[in-house]
Amino acid sequence: MSDLVHHAAMHTLYEEHHGWLKGWLRKRMNCSEQAADLVQDTFLRVLTQRRAEVVREPRAYLSRVARGLMIDMFRRRSLEQAYLETLAAIPEALDISPEERLLIIESLLEVDQMLDALGKRTRDVFLMAHLDGLSYVEISKRLQISVNTVRKHAVRALTQCLLLMED
């Protein structure tokens, strides 16, 4: 589609649904400012995906995009809070700079997104092996799958980690 058609469709979508989406988000977040931010993020996402002219059910589409962004926001806050609580427990001699904190939080978010992109079984295998310290045999017994299947899932997860590190 041409830029002119996309611009017109985006303008119409924004004009007709901005107020509704802001109200929808305000009810879920109990904060008008955060709702306004997420509305703008939602329309920015739609704009960059260049799909405004093909949206058949605008409210369903916008609410799905906004819900995903809201989940991302809550996930980020949760990770940041857990990280800040961990930092608070570190003795001052080991305190790190705000820049290092930001890099660590961004890395945690990237790992979280990578894990979220994996299939459930692959994610479970990865977490059991690397967080719980279980062997492939133990994972195999817990998940009731073969050790060979555990290995395949582990390789898939580690491949994703390596790809993330390259980026």
Side-chain angles (χ1 to χ4, degrees):
M1 298 266 169
S2 73
D3 285 343
L4 187 57
V5 170
H6 177 68
H7 178 73
M10 191 66 208
H11 179 74
T12 301
L13 186 68
Y14 187 87
E15 286 292 317
E16 291 178 1
H17 300 286
H18 176 269
W20 169 82
L21 184 60
K22 186 173 181 182
W24 185 85
L25 283 166
R26 190 179 317 118
K27 286 179 197 173
R28 282 151 182 78
M29 303 187 72
N30 294 323
C31 179
S32 185
E33 291 83 14
Q34 289 177 346
D37 288 345
L38 275 179
V39 167
Q40 296 308 317
D41 290 346
T42 300
F43 281 103
L44 181 61
R45 175 76 51 95
V46 173
L47 178 68
T48 58
Q49 290 178 346
R50 302 187 58 81
R51 294 187 43 128
E53 60 275 3
V54 296
V55 174
R56 288 191 170 75
E57 297 289 335
R59 289 188 176 187
Y61 179 70
L62 290 170
S63 62
R64 188 175 72 240
V65 172
R67 185 178 295 113
L69 291 170
M70 189 170 36
I71 289 168
D72 289 347
M73 182 190 73
F74 289 140
R75 180 181 288 152
R76 179 178 177 90
R77 280 189 194 157
S78 176
L79 278 172
E80 286 176 356
Q81 186 60 39
Y83 178 69
L84 291 173
E85 288 170 4
T86 302
L87 278 181
I90 295 176
E92 286 187 38
L94 298 176
D95 199 16
I96 59 175
S97 71
E99 293 82 14
E100 289 174 303
R101 285 181 190 168
L102 180 62
L103 287 173
I104 291 170
I105 289 172
E106 287 175 356
S107 297
L108 287 171
L109 286 169
E110 287 175 2
V111 169
D112 183 57
Q113 288 174 347
M114 183 273 305
L115 288 172
D116 199 40
L118 297 175
K120 180 179 177 3
R121 176 136 313 144
T122 303
R123 182 177 47 248
D124 290 345
V125 167
F126 180 83
L127 293 173
M128 286 179 183
H130 295 281
L131 291 182
D132 299 336
L134 299 179
S135 69
Y136 288 174
V137 172
E138 292 169 316
I139 296 169
S140 168
K141 288 177 184 172
R142 280 199 185 174
L143 297 179
Q144 298 178 341
I145 57 176
S146 71
V147 174
N148 200 24
T149 302
V150 171
R151 277 193 190 97
K152 287 178 185 176
H153 286 291
V155 167
R156 188 175 300 138
L158 290 174
T159 301
Q160 289 298 325
C161 287
L162 291 172
L163 291 173
L164 179 65
M165 289 171 53
E166 286 180 5
D167 290 342

